[in-house]
Amino acid sequence: MNHQIQPIVTLNNGMQMPLLGLGVYDMHAAEAETAIVKALETGYRLIDTATAYNNETEVGNAIRASAIPRSEIFVTTKVANPSQGYDLTLKAFDESFKKLNIEYIDLYLVHWPIKGKRKDTWRALEQLYLDKKVRAIGVANYLIPFLEELKDYASVVPVVNQVEFTAYLFLKDLMEYCNKQDIQLQAYSPIVRGRKNTDPKLVALAEKYHKTPVQMLLRWIIEHGVSAIPKSSNPKRIEENFNIFDFEISTEDMVKMDHFNENLRIVEDPMAML
Ligand SMILES: NC(=O)c1ccc[n+]([C@@H]2O[C@H](COP(=O)([O-])OP(=O)(O)OC[C@H]3O[C@@H](n4cnc5c(N)ncnc54)[C@H](OP(=O)(O)O)[C@@H]3O)[C@@H](O)[C@H]2O)c1
């Protein structure tokens, strides 16, 4: 059991959410269940899944199997792209709800801002929220133009915007925009899928703090007040990724890491959907 204190934020609707969570993309069946049980034992209280990941059933199984009360776990899922639009989204939500089978879903996200569909999808999410079927609603892959457009028709402000965000893809303008609008930014692929672990400037900083390159990347995100949802199904790495609350990066080194930015994207650029 890990007793380190993890930061919790209050979302714009008053709900609380841990900043660090476990992403479960690319985890299948038994693998996902084992990883989530391990993560909950380690101290993670935020699990990020999606209908597109095909593991909502296993996510639900793991949560029900754990000794942690449901009320202490924050669960996010997302509407898949083929289910976007008003009616299909409502139906997709019911299916996710059944598969997860965990009393309630904390956060439901629009997975991608699909052209011609995203407005109706958001209307459906607002309906689910007004009907109290879900505790909070938000978006993913909404860069500033999508958020500006959303303002024209939304009556509920998203609580979270989940985007690709790392020291190598430092979306400073989006981070500042979300702070102003009281939307919690959440970083996906936060450790660049391990691809920068041998970058000499990152390794040098990690050595200075007696931490791993991945821990430096995660800590940099958290110190910016951004949520991070690294994925791992490996027990040691699940622990490593959580072990970031016993040190701080100095202001000077935060600035250094801010300059690691090289606009490096692992996942496709949402701007293609504008
Ligand atoms: N909204 C969206 O469109 C969107 C898109 C992408 C991702 N996401 C969410 O964000 C989560 C995280 O993103 P991601 O899975 O794309 O990438 P990521 O978390 O940056 O990287 C995951 C990869 O890094 C490896 N890894 C994990 N911890 C490590 C460590 N300490 N040292 C070295 N390698 C490590 C993992 O392998 P092992 O499992 O073997 O450790 C896995 O291959 C996803 O699981 C998903 O929940 C959302």
Side-chain angles (χ1 to χ4, degrees):
M1 178 75 80
N2 194 318
H3 291 291
Q4 295 180 74
I5 295 170
Q6 54 175 317
I8 310 275
V9 283
T10 301
L11 304 175
N12 69 31
N13 70 348
M15 277 176 79
Q16 296 205 310
M17 184 184 83
L19 276 188
L20 187 71
L22 181 78
V24 302
Y25 167 66
D26 207 19
M27 277 191 210
H28 303 290
E31 186 194 14
E33 277 192 47
T34 314
I36 293 165
V37 168
K38 169 67 188 170
L40 292 172
E41 281 170 10
T42 305
Y44 291 76
R45 292 292 180 270
L46 163 62
I47 309 293
D48 180 83
T49 186
T51 302
Y53 305 164
N54 273 317
N55 56 19
E56 288 170 310
T57 303
E58 289 75 23
V59 170
N61 290 345
I63 288 168
R64 277 181 279 103
S66 87
I68 315 295
R70 170 69 189 92
S71 59
E72 290 180 21
I73 308 171
F74 191 106
V75 182
T76 303
T77 192
K78 319 180 188 87
V79 56
N81 296 345
S83 296
Q84 286 214 18
Y86 188 79
D87 292 332
L88 285 180
T89 295
L90 294 180
K91 195 165 161 259
F93 177 84
D94 285 344
E95 284 164 11
S96 288
F97 184 75
K98 273 193 210 127
K99 280 188 187 157
L100 280 160
N101 188 18
I102 47 169
E103 298 171 50
Y104 55 87
I105 291 170
D106 292 279
L107 175 61
Y108 199 44
L109 300 180
V110 180
H111 204 149
W112 282 90
I114 300 294
K115 206 175 193 165
K117 296 269 178 76
R118 56 186 178 254
K119 183 174 175 183
D120 288 337
T121 304
W122 185 254
R123 277 205 306 122
L125 262 63
E126 287 190 340
Q127 194 59 53
L128 291 165
Y129 183 61
L130 293 176
D131 291 345
K132 300 199 182 326
K133 287 188 160 182
V134 65
R135 297 204 160 182
I137 54 174
V139 293
N141 295 299
Y142 275 53
L143 302 178
I144 292 172
F146 298 103
L147 291 171
E148 277 292 295
E149 179 200 76
L150 185 71
K151 269 193 196 164
D152 293 341
Y153 56 80
S155 42
V156 177
V157 178
V159 296
V160 160
N161 180 22
Q162 182 184 111
V163 297
E164 185 173 354
F165 181 96
T166 67
Y168 297 89
L169 177 65
F170 182 24
L171 304 178
K172 192 163 185 275
D173 290 350
L174 179 66
M175 185 177 81
E176 288 169 355
Y177 180 98
C178 286
N179 283 342
K180 274 199 197 112
Q181 308 288 326
D182 204 7
I183 298 170
Q184 176 62 50
L185 194 63
Q186 185 167 63
Y188 75 64
S189 309
I191 59 171
V192 206
R193 294 194 178 154
R195 290 182 205 182
K196 286 290 182 181
N197 286 0
T198 55
D199 179 0
K201 58 186 184 299
L202 178 61
V203 171
L205 270 185
E207 280 169 3
K208 174 175 170 184
Y209 286 88
H210 306 292
K211 285 286 172 182
T212 65
V214 159
Q215 288 170 331
M216 293 304 293
L217 290 177
L218 290 172
R219 184 73 207 182
W220 175 84
I221 293 173
I222 299 292
E223 287 197 22
H224 271 303
V226 174
S227 168
I229 45 167
K231 176 264 171 184
S232 181
S233 39
N234 173 290
K236 282 214 172 73
R237 291 193 283 274
I238 288 172
E239 281 187 7
E240 176 189 336
N241 299 350
F242 193 75
N243 188 13
I244 58 166
F245 303 122
D246 60 349
F247 79 113
E248 272 176 30
I249 303 175
S250 71
T251 309
E252 192 190 15
D253 288 334
M254 281 296 287
V255 172
K256 225 183 237 176
M257 289 184 74
D258 289 354
H259 287 96
F260 284 7
N261 181 42
E262 47 189 64
N263 297 320
L264 172 70
R265 279 189 185 280
I266 302 294
V267 180
E268 62 192 289
D269 189 343
M271 286 309 278
M273 293 182 180
L274 198 62

